Amino acid sequence: MKTNLQILDCDYVIVNGKPVVRIFGKTEEGESVCAFYEGFLPYFYLDVDSDHDINDVKFEIEEQGLSAHIVEKFLPLGYSEKPKKIIKIIGRDPSKTPEIREWSKQFGTPYEADILFKYRFMVDFGLRGMGWAEVDGNPARTHTVKCKAIEIKTIKPIDVIKNATLKYLAIDTETVVIQKEGLADFSRDPINMISMVFSHEHKGKKSIVLLTKNTIAKDTIICKDEKEMLTKFKDILIDYDPDILVGYNMENYDMPYILKRMEVLNIPRDIGRSEKQSFTRKYGMTQRTTISGRAIVDPYYIVRYLSVYDQPHKFVRFDLNTVSKTLLGKTKIDVGGWREMAKLWKGSSEDLAKFIEYCKVDSELALELVTSHKLVDMNKFIEMSKLSGLIFEDLMTGQAARHENALLHELKKRNYVMPCKPKRITDASDEIKYKGATVLEPDVGFHADGCVLVLDFKSMYPSMIMHYNICPTTLLKDKEKYKEEQFRLSPINAAFVKKDLKEGIFPYVARYYFDTRFEVKGLMKKERDEEALRILDAKQYALKGMLVSLYGYTGFAAGKFFQPEVAASITSWGRENIAKTKKLVEENFPVKVVYGDTDSVFVKTGINDLDQASQLGEEIAKFVTDRLEGLELQNEKLFKRFLILAKKRYAGWAFEKVDGVWKDKIAMKGIETVRRDWCKLTTKTMRKVLETILKEGDVSKAAKIVRNVAHDISKGTVILDELAIVKGVTKSVDQYDGVVPHVELAKKIMQRDPSRGNMIGERLGYVIIKGNQLVSKRAEDPAYVKEKGLEIDPAYYIQNQVMPPLERIFEVCGISSSELLEGSRQRSFGDIFGKMDPPDKTVLKCFDHVVCKKCHWEFRRPTLNGHCPECGSALYFSGNGSMGKFVEFEN
DNA sequence: TGATAGCGGGG
DNA sequence: GTGTACGCTATCA
């Protein structure tokens, strides 16, 4: 009987002393199945040192009760002309392999001795995570798995483009904290409520909330205690049988909490598709839960750790409310803090109903984030899985694992063996620092006249890997033995055999990713079906990801293929190319290269007309491409105006032609306009200033904007909310060492209202008010400020909030910060502030430098706590900085 | 200038 | 489980 299944998970169990591989998957009809394979044994290879005889070693291995065969394989680190005779050691129990590996090291170097058994099996059978397999076999008799079981006779990969329908279950738990500790503690606090939201209706319901309290709210299950609730939760989960569990910060909170409570209450934790107990492990700050046959997708993890360039939105805060408001246009139900939750739980039936709804909505939002394509298209993960061969849940463990698994498939086809991971990185020599890419010295300043062209090499590093055949398997460690025409020398003198002798594995995979992506993009142009298009887009995305991270992997010291010469050669060729490009461009065109980074050059022209400038860009791109081997320089975009502050810090008014029409935007790199420790006013001013400088080219107008903002601040006409900075209280207020604004505010609030408790876990927005105390001590609640009619401290906001990010921008435009605020006629803050003299005797003048009275240390601006960062003791700053300007605080 | 400590999300 | 583990900002030396 034949069954097609898409592979979700894979593990093994020991039955009668022998491993049995289990493949968990879904059929085309959406049925979950588990296929068992018996008779596959763990093995690895041993390259015997020259001071041992291979047959003697084989005998020694057999003496240990293991079987050993002599096989011929290519060794992968350094070019090998011919395969070498090495020993294949076959064991019985996968878990014993590390022990055998260590023992075998006395005879030589082991290979493929650290490959997980599931991947050993999958690679040998050509199977990939999320890939399809055709299984021929009969129903198996077993009680260990909770789905249809098949005993595999044969299994082989098959090509199916469609994906099986995945079932999602979103979960959210609520725990009412009794003691005033802020966060729940699993050793003490029981779970009060669990919501379960189904992607596919379950028994006619879209969702269920389980709780340990009476309620009349619908779609709820009332349980007599936590034990009954968790047991029912498990029963429903198993009955619904989801493939993917979803929850916001579930990986770090809900899942570990649920499992810990189940443990406390003696409920078996077999919530996966087999008898295996689910468990959570801690890795430093992050935790990981394993559930056999299922995967966890945590939208918090995605929003937090997926590269910002892959995301539809750059977030400053990552809480569920912010994320779903931005991406879905939906918000959480507002119930306030944990104190209010406790009130709702103990309150009226309406209170409880609200709490139940809150819990349900959290799950719904998490589910929608994952399934709506608004945050990330799940097809992308499926395609990454298919490409790397990793099963779904291992995808998040990083790029290296993806490359290594993909490479293992390729090595096997070519009769190569895979190196083991290099031994731990202890001594400093392992922190091998090789020279990186070139960042051309920027021509700092504001380039307002004449377009700046941005030209970059298309996939520079992958192209070089392909063109120069750069690979651990083509690296010649003994180049003296080869003829010069057989290899190519990199600028750092590493030799790689030419492609006609043998194409390296890295160049091959780069070429495969490159060509396939090109094909997929071609298919996308013709595809009309929306879902098919999404899958194709996900595929090209996954290919791009592998392509761009390949170089990084060669430089990853903990990588199995790490050879410093390989990574160093790639960057050395890169540096050579960029230097050549700069020369070619400047010697043959009437332009100047004003900046460049890794694979790009920024070319300043004397042309203001977009079309003409772009035309020149095309000519330059073609000229350089014709003169450099294996690389293509492309005319990417141009800046009508360009502001560069330093290496990797610039902004420009960018133009790109889309379907024959010029489209513009402000492009920025290394210059931030949003940061969580900036108030809204700073962000707004920053944006306005950049727009004015770049779009209007008017620096003095931009300066005027800043002066106006300073004016508004000093006159107190700015909305308080725009000045507030939000920070969280993370521990008890007396546990803080330094003097920090939000903690000082927390102390004040606690004094005013003792019922607020210890404030741990609360986020406080604060503004700095006038006064002669330390800045931090003057932090105040905006609402309180409004109520009492207090005044904010204008000097603080100008100096410490609005000015810092702007100073450098104006400086490179030729306006110092003192000039900026003083304007042409005004001479001091007094003038800017009008007649308003600070009432508290704080004399404030200008602030190019601040000098500590005690140790005479100079720094840019007064510190928040009023202490000198150098000698620590001084509370007074005064004197004149090198510019003759000064700030003085009198306490 | 560079290394390291702290923190987020969850309730 | 034949393993591997974030990334940024603030703050210190």
Side-chain angles (χ1 to χ4, degrees):
Chain A
M1 195 184 69
K2 283 182 182 173
T3 311
N4 289 348
L5 58 91
Q6 192 170 19
I7 301 168
L8 281 177
D9 193 11
C10 181
D11 70 359
Y12 76 95
V13 282
I14 297 289
V15 179
N16 301 326
K18 280 192 276 180
V20 176
V21 176
R22 305 190 296 193
I23 294 190
F24 295 91
K26 303 269 302 194
T27 66
E28 279 153 298
E29 293 75 36
E31 188 184 14
S32 63
V33 292
C34 180
F36 291 73
Y37 191 94
E38 245 184 279
F40 184 72
L41 294 174
Y43 66 88
F44 68 93
Y45 299 98
L46 182 68
D47 174 28
V48 176
D49 286 344
S50 52
D51 51 343
H52 289 282
D53 180 84
I54 192 166
N55 289 301
D56 292 350
V57 174
K58 179 173 182 277
F59 182 75
E60 290 255 12
I61 294 163
E62 284 164 345
E63 284 285 280
Q64 302 290 315
L66 301 160
S67 59
H69 308 284
I70 294 177
V71 294
E72 293 199 354
K73 295 275 173 187
F74 285 102
L75 298 185
L77 299 180
Y79 176 63
S80 46
E81 239 167 71
K82 291 189 305 260
K84 194 182 174 196
K85 279 194 168 61
I86 59 174
I87 301 177
K88 180 178 183 179
I89 304 173
I90 303 163
R92 313 216 110 221
D93 181 351
S95 68
K96 295 288 193 309
T97 307
E99 200 183 299
I100 303 167
R101 173 186 67 209
E102 294 311 310
W103 171 81
S104 75
K105 280 182 179 170
Q106 59 183 305
F107 307 114
T109 311
Y111 284 84
E112 304 192 4
D114 52 4
I115 291 162
L116 296 192
F117 191 57
K118 61 184 173 193
Y119 289 119
R120 170 91 290 160
F121 176 82
M122 287 173 72
V123 170
D124 282 11
F125 284 77
L127 305 171
R128 290 169 179 264
M130 285 293 149
W132 287 87
E134 182 192 272
V135 174
D136 188 9
N138 298 319
R141 280 171 288 113
T142 175
H143 299 294
T144 55
V145 292
K146 303 188 182 78
C147 53
K148 189 177 146 188
I150 304 169
E151 219 167 289
I152 300 173
K153 278 200 285 217
T154 63
I155 182 165
K156 62 174 188 198
I158 50 168
D159 220 8
V160 178
I161 292 167
K162 252 188 67 182
N163 291 313
T165 305
L166 297 178
K167 274 165 91 176
Y168 297 81
L169 171 64
I171 294 166
D172 185 43
T173 62
E174 306 298 336
T175 300
V176 173
V177 182
I178 306 139
Q179 287 176 30
K180 295 179 177 180
E181 292 286 324
L183 256 180
D185 173 357
F186 60 76
S187 62
R188 184 193 62 211
D189 304 320
I191 299 172
N192 303 71
M193 210 186 279
I194 306 176
S195 66
M196 306 174 83
V197 173
F198 313 105
S199 64
H200 296 70
E201 268 191 19
H202 178 60
K203 301 205 163 145
K205 289 196 191 303
K206 287 197 169 76
S207 69
I208 292 171
V209 178
L210 299 104
L211 70 164
T212 54
K213 210 164 186 218
N214 276 320
T215 178
I216 48 157
K218 71 174 176 84
D219 294 333
T220 54
I221 294 177
I222 299 155
C223 308
K224 72 173 197 294
D225 57 18
E226 191 193 15
K227 183 161 185 171
E228 185 184 295
M229 181 173 71
L230 285 169
T231 307
K232 282 192 173 155
F233 162 77
K234 180 179 143 184
D235 292 345
I236 296 167
L237 191 154
I238 289 167
D239 190 39
Y240 173 66
D241 192 33
D243 304 297
I244 314 278
L245 298 181
V246 179
Y248 206 78
N249 202 25
M250 171 193 246
E251 196 115 53
N252 267 306
Y253 181 76
D254 297 84
M255 233 34 237
Y257 207 104
I258 290 171
L259 292 171
K260 281 282 160 34
R261 292 305 298 171
M262 288 177 87
E263 201 180 333
V264 168
L265 299 168
N266 272 317
I267 304 166
R269 304 184 307 280
D270 53 332
I271 58 171
R273 282 180 165 137
S274 74
E275 79 298 344
K276 281 196 178 164
Q277 302 282 304
S278 289
F279 62 98
T280 301
R281 273 192 294 179
K282 241 189 172 149
Y283 301 101
M285 260 341 275
T286 45
Q287 306 185 67
R288 207 84 202 285
T289 300
T290 314
I291 302 171
S292 89
R294 313 188 204 279
I296 293 176
V297 174
D298 186 338
Y300 169 69
Y301 189 90
I302 294 174
V303 88
R304 200 68 226 264
Y305 299 119
L306 219 63
S307 156
V308 289
Y309 303 107
D310 296 342
Q311 294 199 11
H313 189 272
K314 193 192 169 203
F315 290 99
V316 190
R317 295 200 57 217
F318 301 91
D319 56 298
L320 177 59
N321 199 45
T322 307
V323 173
S324 42
K325 193 157 73 187
T326 315
L327 261 25
L328 309 173
K330 294 181 181 176
T331 57
K332 274 164 73 100
I333 289 179
D334 185 14
V335 298
W338 57 272
R339 211 176 303 276
E340 286 75 17
M341 287 184 182
K343 276 183 207 149
L344 291 182
W345 178 250
K346 283 180 250 161
S348 66
S349 66
E350 289 79 28
D351 285 344
L352 186 59
K354 184 179 177 187
F355 198 23
I356 292 167
E357 188 66 11
Y358 167 86
C359 182
K360 188 181 90 177
V361 167
D362 277 11
S363 294
E364 287 172 342
L365 293 173
L367 183 63
E368 199 176 331
L369 283 171
V370 169
T371 54
S372 68
H373 316 292
K374 297 259 172 66
L375 170 61
V376 68
D377 187 342
M378 286 299 290
N379 284 311
K380 288 181 178 171
F381 290 103
I382 293 170
E383 293 302 324
M384 286 194 277
S385 196
K386 282 184 166 177
L387 204 54
S388 63
L390 293 178
I391 56 170
F392 207 88
E393 66 149 346
D394 290 337
L395 271 181
M396 301 300 177
T397 67
Q399 290 287 350
R402 294 182 205 172
H403 282 294
E404 283 170 358
N405 206 250
L407 286 162
L408 187 57
H409 279 271
E410 291 308 319
L411 291 163
K412 184 167 171 63
K413 289 181 200 161
R414 290 168 178 71
N415 204 33
Y416 270 88
V417 289
M418 168 83 106
C420 290
K421 178 184 273 299
K423 255 292 165 228
R424 78 186 20 223
I425 311 170
T426 41
D427 55 306
S429 67
D430 232 323
E431 269 288 300
I432 302 146
K433 283 264 190 310
Y434 61 93
K435 221 170 157 207
T438 303
V439 183
L440 296 175
E441 203 51 56
D443 193 342
V444 171
F446 180 38
H447 301 273
D449 197 30
C451 290
V452 172
L453 305 165
V454 181
L455 305 168
D456 67 353
F457 286 101
K458 188 178 171 190
S459 309
M460 187 172 84
Y461 286 161
S463 299
M464 290 192 322
I465 290 170
M466 289 185 263
H467 180 72
Y468 299 113
N469 203 29
I470 308 168
C471 187
T473 65
T474 58
L475 174 67
L476 279 183
K477 301 210 167 184
D478 43 3
K479 55 177 177 274
E480 304 74 26
K481 293 185 193 156
Y482 292 81
K483 286 185 235 135
E484 252 179 59
E485 64 267 24
Q486 289 180 300
F487 61 81
R488 223 193 271 264
L489 269 186
S490 76
I492 57 148
N493 270 328
F496 296 92
V497 299
K498 287 189 180 168
K499 205 191 293 193
D500 43 13
L501 209 57
K502 185 166 215 170
E503 185 182 35
I505 305 247
F506 282 52
Y508 169 82
V509 296
R511 191 161 57 80
Y512 172 78
Y513 297 147
F514 196 87
D515 293 348
T516 311
R517 181 155 183 257
F518 185 79
E519 282 165 31
V520 171
K521 287 202 141 189
L523 291 174
M524 283 176 73
K525 287 195 185 116
K526 287 176 233 150
E527 186 59 64
R528 316 290 327 150
D529 179 66
E530 204 184 317
E531 182 60 17
L533 197 60
R534 252 205 291 274
I535 292 176
L536 286 173
D537 187 47
K539 193 168 176 187
Q540 73 80 20
Y541 168 91
L543 287 159
K544 183 185 172 187
M546 294 297 271
L547 205 53
V548 301
S549 61
L550 190 60
Y551 151 72
Y553 175 65
T554 67
F556 177 47
K560 292 185 175 182
F561 285 95
F562 181 62
Q563 303 280 296
E565 304 96 312
V566 172
S569 291
I570 296 173
T571 55
S572 73
W573 261 311
R575 290 192 300 275
E576 190 183 82
N577 271 317
I578 218 74
K580 274 188 193 167
T581 304
K582 180 173 149 74
K583 203 159 173 264
L584 279 173
V585 172
E586 290 187 336
E587 284 177 359
N588 295 283
F589 297 89
V591 295
K592 187 170 182 258
V593 173
V594 291
Y595 182 60
D597 185 352
T598 314
D599 61 352
S600 64
V601 281
F602 289 54
V603 177
K604 168 108 177 236
T605 69
I607 307 167
N608 283 320
D609 180 75
L610 294 177
D611 289 300
Q612 279 177 30
S614 178
Q615 177 64 35
L616 179 64
E618 293 297 331
E619 282 168 36
I620 296 173
K622 185 168 186 319
F623 185 87
V624 175
T625 302
D626 287 346
R627 281 158 186 79
L628 293 177
E629 292 172 50
L631 288 171
E632 185 189 338
L633 188 67
Q634 44 187 14
N635 183 26
E636 195 208 340
K637 64 179 170 202
L638 55 82
F639 292 122
K640 185 142 180 143
R641 295 200 184 84
F642 180 60
L643 176 70
I644 179 149
L645 310 185
K647 282 182 177 178
K648 299 192 187 281
R649 290 192 68 201
Y650 60 81
W653 190 16
F655 285 81
E656 222 167 330
K657 220 166 195 173
V658 182
D659 302 323
V661 187
W662 286 109
K663 289 217 160 182
D664 77 305
K665 65 169 184 193
I666 298 289
M668 271 184 289
K669 184 141 198 183
I671 299 177
E672 285 176 297
T673 57
V674 271
R675 263 172 59 168
R676 70 158 72 187
D677 52 348
W678 289 352
C679 64
K680 280 187 193 148
L681 182 67
T682 303
T683 297
K684 261 172 71 175
T685 312
M686 185 79 180
R687 286 198 175 142
K688 254 195 235 166
V689 163
L690 281 170
E691 288 237 330
T692 309
I693 292 178
L694 293 171
K695 287 196 176 173
E696 300 178 36
D698 194 341
V699 178
S700 52
K701 186 175 171 191
K704 212 175 285 169
I705 289 170
V706 180
R707 277 197 290 276
N708 286 341
V709 169
H711 207 94
D712 292 345
I713 292 172
S714 57
K715 278 169 65 186
T717 55
V718 183
I719 303 160
L720 272 184
D721 186 43
E722 303 227 305
L723 298 175
I725 296 159
V726 180
K727 280 202 175 132
V729 180
T730 54
K731 50 188 177 185
S732 160
V733 290
D734 40 60
Q735 277 178 290
Y736 283 84
D737 293 331
V739 192
V740 241
H742 67 289
V743 175
E744 292 305 309
L745 174 58
K747 288 179 191 163
K748 284 184 221 172
I749 292 174
M750 285 154 68
Q751 251 176 13
R752 286 174 204 149
D753 179 6
S755 80
R756 292 288 290 265
N758 62 15
M759 307 283 293
I760 296 172
E762 298 205 37
R763 320 193 117 264
L764 297 176
Y766 65 86
V767 294
I768 302 297
I769 56 163
K770 273 187 186 170
N772 46 23
Q773 286 176 294
L774 293 177
V775 174
S776 295
K777 300 249 181 203
R778 289 185 272 131
E780 201 35 273
D781 175 12
Y784 186 82
V785 170
K786 234 175 272 175
E787 187 192 315
K788 301 278 174 189
L790 301 173
E791 282 182 274
I792 56 128
D793 179 358
Y796 169 79
Y797 279 99
I798 295 166
Q799 281 180 195
N800 294 53
Q801 277 292 319
V802 178
M803 285 307 292
L806 291 171
E807 279 171 353
R808 181 74 186 146
I809 290 173
F810 281 101
E811 192 187 318
V812 306
C813 293
I815 298 181
S816 76
S817 38
S818 48
E819 273 177 89
L820 176 59
L821 285 180
E822 285 169 9
S824 44
R825 288 175 300 275
Q826 291 162 319
R827 287 221 200 96
S828 71
F829 262 106
D831 293 329
I832 304 166
F833 296 158
K835 295 188 181 66
M836 218 181 58
D837 255 346
D840 54 20
K841 294 266 162 60
T842 299
V843 183
L844 183 80
K845 291 191 179 163
C846 216
F847 53 92
D848 273 358
H849 283 81
V850 178
V851 182
C852 173
K853 262 185 183 170
K854 228 173 223 166
C855 70
H856 304 288
W857 187 259
E858 274 190 33
F859 38 97
R860 288 189 76 75
R861 63 183 62 82
T863 51
L864 278 182
N865 62 10
H867 289 260
C868 167
E870 186 58 20
C871 66
S873 55
L875 277 169
Y876 299 89
F877 301 119
S878 77
N880 44 8
S882 50
M883 313 286 285
K885 319 270 180 160
F886 64 97
V887 175
E888 187 164 302
F889 285 104
E890 285 177 14
N891 281 19

